[in-house]
Amino acid sequence: MLTRATPYLFIAPGFLLFAALILVPIAQAVQMSFYDWKVIAGAVSQFIGLDNYIRAFSDDHFWLSLANSGIYMLFTVPPQIIIGLFIALLLKQKSPTQPVFRVLFYLPVVTSWVVVSLLFKYLFADGGLINFTLHDFLHLMNSDVSWLSGRWTALVAICALGVWKGVGWSMMIFLAALQGVPRALEEAAMMDGAGRWQRFRTVTVPAIWPTLLFVTVMLVIGGFNVFTSVLLMTGGGPGGATDVVLTYMYNQAFTFLDFGYGSALAVILSVIVFVLAIVQLRVFRDRSGEDLA
């Protein structure tokens, strides 16, 4: 009996910690989403059922923030995958400078989001380096662009930060996967006369297919969870035009103290991310036709 219980005894501490820090807050957030939740001492939180969810689906600003989150995801995930894989292929070949370039490309990943967000805020400021380079140095623009004062230009700046910071992560994951591609398969393809593109398409891609799935799912989840860069670079402005779901949820909960509605927004975002992850798992099937999930 003790032998059977031993694995569970080892798992128990980690599971209890996971339950206390993750599962309990999730359950609390779901509960709060069904209430007009009051944080004032002595105030009674009123049960309002699905009213917060109905409010969200009829809230134009929620749809705007969801669209901004989707735009960020669409314009950051593919570049991170493509550029990261391209750099990984270049760094796969051993050379004296390989470790240096690995560190340089990975350095943004381990740099604080707060630091790089403030850095990009100053780079894209009205008198910042981007305007100086494009207007004064390269003469590609007739005048300076107020990047952070409009919805679309601000999203360009935010997406640029997301790609710059995330490429190093995908590069390292792909680089690790490429090390596991059987050399014999590549040599066999070369003997059959396959070029670089053919070897990449028929040997490399199938070999790293599960890794490609993992990177895509993680980047999509991260894309919809963008928060710090938007909060620090634009604050959701101007007029909430660059709000994403998390900044809108944050403002509802901690600025207006509407924790019930903020919790409902969090639950909706979680469901969207979960559904997208399941869809990706179904779309990314291995070469034998079996689900990678």
Side-chain angles (χ1 to χ4, degrees):
M1 183 66 181
L2 181 60
T3 303
R4 293 182 178 180
T6 299
Y8 299 100
L9 293 176
F10 279 103
I11 294 173
F15 178 78
L16 291 175
L17 187 63
F18 175 76
L21 299 180
I22 304 297
L23 297 182
V24 172
I26 289 175
Q28 182 72 15
V30 174
Q31 178 190 2
M32 291 170 63
S33 69
F34 295 107
Y35 284 80
D36 181 11
W37 196 265
K38 305 296 184 182
V39 295
I40 302 174
V44 178
S45 299
Q46 181 182 0
F47 179 79
I48 56 176
L50 297 174
D51 286 0
N52 283 323
Y53 293 95
I54 296 173
R55 173 185 170 187
F57 288 115
S58 60
D59 184 353
D60 291 337
H61 198 80
F62 165 69
W63 289 109
L64 173 66
S65 65
L66 183 60
N68 287 339
S69 295
I71 291 170
Y72 178 87
M73 184 270 294
L74 288 174
F75 285 93
T76 57
V77 172
Q80 289 180 75
I81 294 174
I82 296 171
I83 299 174
L85 181 55
F86 178 72
I87 296 174
L89 290 169
L90 293 179
L91 295 181
K92 179 185 176 183
Q93 306 300 326
K94 292 184 178 181
S95 68
T97 59
Q98 183 195 59
V100 177
F101 282 106
R102 286 187 182 185
V103 172
L104 290 177
F105 281 114
Y106 195 73
L107 189 60
V109 180
V110 296
T111 306
S112 167
W113 268 106
V114 174
V115 172
V116 296
S117 296
L118 293 176
L119 173 63
F120 268 68
K121 181 178 181 179
Y122 288 113
L123 288 176
F124 282 91
D126 292 348
L129 181 62
I130 301 299
N131 275 326
F132 172 78
T133 302
L134 296 178
H135 178 220
D136 300 320
F137 185 70
L138 298 177
H139 304 290
L140 297 177
M141 301 186 306
N142 295 325
S143 61
D144 288 349
V145 174
S146 187
W147 292 95
L148 303 179
S149 298
R151 179 191 179 190
W152 296 108
T153 52
L155 286 175
V156 168
I158 293 168
C159 290
L161 169 57
V163 173
W164 176 80
K165 196 175 190 308
V167 160
W169 179 83
S170 59
M171 174 208 72
M172 290 299 292
I173 301 297
F174 284 131
L175 193 57
L178 289 172
Q179 303 301 323
V181 177
R183 180 63 182 170
L185 294 179
E186 295 183 348
E187 293 176 350
M190 292 177 63
M191 294 180 63
D192 289 340
R196 289 186 177 181
W197 170 249
Q198 289 177 314
R199 294 199 304 270
F200 173 77
R201 182 172 55 86
T202 59
V203 176
T204 304
V205 172
I208 66 171
W209 197 252
T211 302
L212 185 61
L213 166 65
F214 170 76
V215 171
T216 304
V217 171
M218 296 302 295
L219 289 179
V220 168
I221 293 174
F224 271 99
N225 282 284
V226 59
F227 173 72
T228 306
S229 57
V230 178
L231 185 68
L232 293 179
M233 290 181 68
T234 67
T242 59
D243 261 330
V244 291
V245 176
L246 286 187
T247 57
Y248 186 46
M249 178 198 72
Y250 175 85
N251 287 327
Q252 291 298 315
F254 297 102
T255 301
F256 303 111
L257 299 181
D258 194 349
F259 284 91
Y261 187 50
S263 298
L265 295 177
V267 172
I268 293 172
L269 178 61
S270 300
V271 172
I272 292 174
V273 170
F274 177 77
V275 170
L276 285 175
I278 294 299
V279 170
Q280 290 174 89
L281 290 171
R282 298 306 180 192
V283 171
F284 276 81
R285 299 176 182 273
D286 62 16
R287 296 304 180 180
S288 64
E290 297 177 357
D291 289 342
L292 289 169

